Amino acid sequence: MTDPINSRLDGTLGLELHLHSEYIGPASFHEPELLDLRPSAMLLSDNERCYPRRVNQTAAFITYPDKDSASEMQRITDLDRIEESIRPLGPTLVNLYFRIMHRTFPILDKAVFLEKYARSYREFSPPLLAAVYLVALDWKLFDRTLATAPRTPDTEALENLAMRAMDDDLKRPKLSTLQAGLLLLQRMRSSNSTFPAQLVSLGQTLGIHIDCTGWKIPEWEKGLRRRLAWALYMQDKWGVLVHGRPPLIPAHIDEDDGTSDWDVGPCTVNDFPEEMTGQEENGDEGVDGSAGRAAFLQSIELTKIFSRIVSTFYSVGATKKGGRLERVGPSGAMSLAKPLAMELREWHAGIPALAAAIDERGIASLTHGSRADNSSRITPHSLPSLRSAIRTAARARLMSAMKLIGSFQPEHIQSFWGYAAAAQVALVGSFAGLLWATSPQMDEAAGYVEQLEKLRWVLQVRASAAPFAREALRMLHEEVGDLAAVKEATFRDS
């Protein structure tokens, strides 16, 4: 199958349909300087040729052809099966995807996607097409055609097909492979998945972790690469809440000490080339484009702060026996928390009101996270005044988080919520559980049980329309169960 002529794709790196590129790192056995002495193509086995490509003076790639015609036949077969599974809802799902998800999670180039989709669904990689359909299906209640369709596509079968096709694509990775992986990750429910780590490795293979500002590629691809890089960064960092494992991307990426392996330029509004008119953006009930872009950029900054919170309070070195938190004690931990709390306040004060409606969803878990860590380390030897101050502050953070979750309006529920959202909400519940477990009196414990029941009710009300609320309910039940009977028995026996 011959690639269609598409001038927008000319000169791109990692976007070709039948080629994949591999970044050559400084420590690789490949010597970048020797690339300039090689012919334009190097012969590999089976008459295949690879092409070295230098994008600037320090960054180079080797481009390989996808293995053989068998993989192309499999690609077409997979695409046909994917399309058949959702027919005739494909265009409706694509429209819903760009109306809800793309505006706050802009990891696709909308113009390129829609241009290719208008020609043929066969121009995509199977996992990417399936991922767009799957994510859109999660929001089917917000489209009349989908909500009233006589036949609902089998999402489980479609997801299995997407993941099998993803395994094939990982052998010849492209930017579309990373895009598909990030989208599929939004639907992952397994707490022991290693898929996020695969995506970080994939991103490094594609050179996502390198500043592409001066590369010899189209300007729109530079913006796309930066958006992809920071989306991957956010998934890695918030995965701490979902998987309980350390992040793989360095914690301190803003320190210019010459040792960081994360060298991505900042993402700005200039990295969103598909500027749409206000009428286009506000013509439906979704989030408008400017607010979505603001939400994405502010989420990056929030994630940077969260990364510093995690490294300060939840790293192995901080939490181990004899580690930093044990050495500094509760008062020292509160001192460590103060500058981070200040960063959060400054971040919150600096975001536009419209973006705040979307991005405030993450602040609850952050502002109480370090407090939760502090209260769990109070010992019988701690001063009563210190214990009281920490518990008072912790209760205030819990009430603030509960108020935030309870204030979500339909327009908030209708915006996209990433894969960590359920864990963020469940963390509020587990924080209430921690305060319940450490309550010195039964009436105080009963108050936290009441807050947990209120949280369950709020999530149940929103569960039909919001996938993250359904998953948060499941996680909350798994984490805390029914606390009332347990605590009552504890106080009665003591």
Side-chain angles (χ1 to χ4, degrees):
M1 180 179 177
T2 304
D3 287 343
I5 297 175
N6 187 345
S7 60
R8 190 169 174 80
L9 294 177
D10 289 346
T12 59
L13 178 68
L15 289 161
E16 301 89 344
L17 189 57
H18 301 303
L19 300 172
H20 60 280
S21 299
E22 179 179 324
Y23 170 70
I24 300 176
S28 170
F29 76 90
H30 292 291
E31 175 48 61
E33 293 298 326
L34 296 180
L35 293 181
D36 299 331
L37 304 178
R38 294 177 177 178
S40 59
M42 297 175 288
L43 185 64
L44 298 176
S45 61
D46 301 326
N47 294 321
E48 292 183 349
R49 294 178 180 272
C50 67
Y51 302 82
R53 178 175 176 183
R54 183 182 292 281
V55 291
N56 65 10
Q57 289 301 310
T58 59
F61 289 77
I62 294 182
T63 297
Y64 300 90
D66 291 352
K67 277 293 184 181
D68 49 40
S69 59
S71 65
E72 175 64 3
M73 292 173 59
Q74 185 64 56
R75 186 182 73 86
I76 297 299
T77 299
D78 288 344
L79 286 169
D80 288 346
R81 291 177 61 193
I82 290 167
E83 194 66 20
E84 180 61 31
S85 72
I86 55 88
R87 188 175 284 126
L89 300 174
T92 303
L93 290 170
V94 168
N95 178 68
L96 183 61
Y97 171 86
F98 283 105
R99 176 160 65 92
I100 288 187
M101 183 168 186
H102 178 71
R103 296 175 180 179
T104 51
F105 196 62
I107 64 170
L108 301 183
D109 184 282
K110 182 178 181 180
V112 168
F113 189 97
L114 293 181
E115 183 178 332
K116 292 169 66 175
Y117 194 76
R119 287 195 297 263
S120 173
Y121 64 84
R122 286 185 170 186
E123 292 194 20
F124 294 95
S125 72
L128 178 57
L129 183 66
V132 168
Y133 288 157
L134 279 165
V135 172
L137 282 168
D138 278 342
W139 301 92
K140 61 185 178 183
L141 290 181
F142 295 100
D143 182 273
R144 183 177 300 175
T145 300
L146 293 169
T148 59
R151 181 180 68 89
T152 302
D154 187 343
T155 55
E156 183 177 355
L158 184 57
E159 185 166 19
N160 289 337
L161 177 55
M163 292 306 298
R164 204 270 303 145
M166 187 73 185
D167 288 339
D168 287 345
D169 264 25
L170 287 172
K171 301 170 186 175
R172 40 186 180 275
K174 306 174 177 63
L175 289 184
S176 62
T177 315
L178 180 58
Q179 291 167 329
L182 286 170
L183 294 183
L184 291 171
L185 190 61
Q186 308 314 306
R187 307 187 77 255
M188 287 281 176
R189 304 295 183 253
S190 174
S191 61
N192 61 355
S193 173
T194 59
F195 193 46
Q198 285 182 282
L199 294 186
V200 173
S201 178
L202 168 62
Q204 293 172 340
T205 299
L206 299 170
I208 286 295
H209 61 300
I210 305 299
D211 185 5
C212 63
T213 302
W215 287 11
K216 298 174 183 178
I217 58 175
E219 288 299 316
W220 68 265
E221 186 187 351
K222 295 177 185 178
L224 176 63
R225 281 179 166 267
R226 275 190 284 269
R227 281 147 47 191
L228 271 171
W230 288 109
L232 182 63
Y233 173 84
M234 289 190 283
Q235 299 308 301
D236 178 58
K237 297 302 180 181
W238 289 103
V240 172
L241 296 182
V242 180
H243 305 292
R245 296 191 295 263
L248 300 176
I249 295 174
H252 302 289
I253 60 174
D254 296 325
E255 297 180 0
D256 188 17
D257 59 1
T259 62
S260 176
D261 282 321
W262 182 263
D263 186 34
V264 181
C267 195
T268 69
V269 291
N270 296 325
D271 293 322
F272 299 80
E274 59 269 28
E275 295 294 332
M276 294 176 277
T277 66
Q279 287 182 334
E280 246 184 320
E281 292 292 349
N282 296 316
D284 51 48
E285 298 177 355
V287 179
D288 73 74
S290 60
R293 288 187 286 273
F296 184 74
L297 296 176
Q298 291 297 338
S299 292
I300 295 171
E301 298 307 311
L302 179 63
T303 306
K304 291 179 180 178
I305 301 173
F306 177 62
S307 177
R308 290 190 280 274
I309 291 175
V310 169
S311 64
T312 301
F313 291 101
Y314 296 100
S315 65
V316 173
T319 58
K320 70 179 182 180
K321 183 175 178 59
R324 175 171 52 190
L325 291 179
E326 186 174 301
R327 293 196 304 270
V328 301
S331 59
M334 290 186 71
S335 298
L336 292 173
K338 286 180 181 178
L340 296 169
M342 181 63 69
E343 286 188 61
L344 284 169
R345 283 195 290 269
E346 292 175 354
W347 171 85
H348 186 258
I351 60 177
L354 192 55
I358 304 168
D359 280 313
E360 250 190 293
R361 64 179 180 261
I363 200 170
S365 63
L366 297 185
T367 52
H368 79 249
S370 57
R371 296 295 186 181
D373 194 80
N374 289 341
S375 68
S376 67
R377 283 168 173 75
I378 298 175
T379 70
H381 304 291
S382 301
L383 292 174
S385 59
L386 179 60
R387 292 200 301 270
S388 176
I390 290 178
R391 291 194 64 84
T392 299
R395 178 176 173 80
R397 293 305 90 207
L398 173 64
M399 301 307 294
S400 176
M402 291 290 299
K403 181 180 179 181
L404 175 62
I405 296 172
S407 69
F408 291 155
Q409 300 300 309
E411 59 268 28
H412 305 146
I413 298 299
Q414 196 172 346
S415 65
F416 168 69
W417 295 76
Y419 87 124
Q424 289 176 317
V425 174
L427 182 60
V428 175
S430 63
F431 182 49
L434 171 65
L435 293 173
W436 163 86
T438 55
S439 297
Q441 297 177 344
M442 187 173 177
D443 58 344
E444 181 182 342
Y448 294 124
V449 171
E450 181 182 345
Q451 292 302 315
L452 277 168
E453 292 308 308
K454 183 183 297 185
L455 178 59
R456 282 195 175 97
W457 181 84
V458 168
L459 293 175
Q460 286 170 350
V461 170
R462 291 157 174 78
S464 61
F468 83 90
R470 295 194 294 271
E471 178 64 6
L473 268 174
R474 184 196 66 78
M475 298 171 73
L476 193 61
H477 178 74
E478 181 181 292
E479 177 67 14
V480 299
D482 184 7
L483 299 182
V486 177
K487 194 65 177 183
E488 184 177 354
T490 302
F491 277 106
R492 184 169 57 246
D493 295 340
S494 60

